[in-house]
Amino acid sequence: MNSESNNRPEGPRKRVVVAMSGGVDSSVAAALMKEEGHDVIGITLQLYDHGAATGRKGSCCAGQDIHDARRVAETLGIPHYVLDYEARFAAKVIDSFAESYVLGETPIPCVTCNNEIKFRDLLDTARDLGADMLVTGHYVQRLDGPAGPILARAADPERDQSYFLFGITRDQLDILRFPIGGLLKPAVRDIARRFQLPIAEKPDSQDICFVPAGRYSDIIAKLKPGATEPGDIVHLDGRVLGRHQGIIHYTVGQRRGLKIPGPEPIYVVRLDADHNTVIVGPRAALQTKSLVLREVNWLGDKPLADIAHDGLPVYVRNRSAQAPRPAMLFCDEDGTVRVVLCDGEEGVATGQACVFYDDGGPAARVLGGGWIAKALKSGPAVPGDGVAKSERAAIERQSAP
């Protein structure tokens, strides 16, 4: 596989649209495209009311970022445009984020933004401009595979953003490029200095871009006033242990802030939005064995349905910061996609993403992913004896040393 020819295109001059966030990574991506002689157009998206976030250190997509992107474009000598996507961002990302929390889920707005805004709406705009490529500053690689381009983890494991990009489709991968995906962060900073970009020392973005001071519950309470309605904190055994001030203040796996005295540690095990109840229990109750997914995007070479009987050994990430872990992927006859976690995992919550890889190492191929609809405490059940024989055998093979 050749990362250079795909992440940093060479050859004839092409029209390239670069999504410029005002940060170091996207600025360097634009600089590399200009250095290769392409016709580069910089586009920055105005996504939300910048007021409270404009001066926040380490923010993303704030008013200062638009100014920084414009300064970089001037330094590089490329045209730069700001597109007002505020209304669609509010409808597709912010409202979806709030709704998901009210339902007791743990949403990931960055994934939704990538799927719905950057790689759908912005990509359509790039095509309207006659662009041959849409370039971003994400840490992920587009490599040559035997059946066409594939998506893979970045060369820098500490910066890898593939977890947030599992929704990229095959058609989108044809036009997308990621120039810094094969670089380490210090090298990206060095390139920014070489081009004398005014943001070379700018801090990386942190937290959720549209949440001032990181207080997401304030945003949700404003959009969904009923989300702060008090309710019971209930133990798995049925005992009412206390009261909460809205389930939006809790996440699965949480221990602190419950204000429940007792000799044994208690954790949030589940959020019951229908009954406005926070379910708690011992740490052992956090163990998850299998997942049911929804809205799965598949990037493997063979059709997903072909893995139905024997299952497919994969590695998965259910959180962006964790290393890929061994699992088995199954697809039922009705199209339901399930994942069996070979070693189990604690604190998996609905609304999170489960992303599949072909192995657990650096530059592993992204096979796709989906949203977690159910997190089950036991393996996939079938009438009779709990786990289908074919699934049990497949899990044992994957778990064997």
Side-chain angles (χ1 to χ4, degrees), residues 375-393:
L376 307 175
K377 306 307 177 185
S378 61
V382 296
D385 72 4
V387 179
K389 292 181 179 179
S390 62
E391 294 182 353
R392 182 184 293 114

Side-chain angles (χ1 to χ4, degrees), residues 293-364:
L293 306 183
R294 58 178 171 82
E295 300 175 44
V296 172
N297 181 53
W298 179 244
L299 294 172
D301 293 335
K302 295 181 179 180
L304 187 57
D306 287 355
I307 69 172
H309 180 68
D310 294 327
L312 179 70
V314 295
Y315 284 76
V316 301
R317 295 163 79 185
N318 297 313
R319 297 179 181 84
S320 62
Q322 74 176 186
R325 301 180 178 184
M328 291 297 300
L329 181 65
F330 297 93
C331 182
D332 295 342
E333 292 183 0
D334 64 0
T336 299
V337 176
R338 293 177 292 112
V339 172
V340 177
L341 305 171
C342 295
D343 301 319
E345 188 174 329
E346 288 187 352
V348 179
T350 57
Q352 292 177 319
C354 177
V355 181
F356 326 134
Y357 300 87
D358 65 347
D359 66 52

Side-chain angles (χ1 to χ4, degrees), residues 103-121:
L103 293 176
E105 297 181 338
T106 304
I108 311 173
C110 294
V111 176
T112 306
C113 182
N114 287 330
N115 292 350
E116 300 292 339
I117 304 296
K118 294 177 182 175
F119 298 137
R120 181 172 297 175
D121 294 347

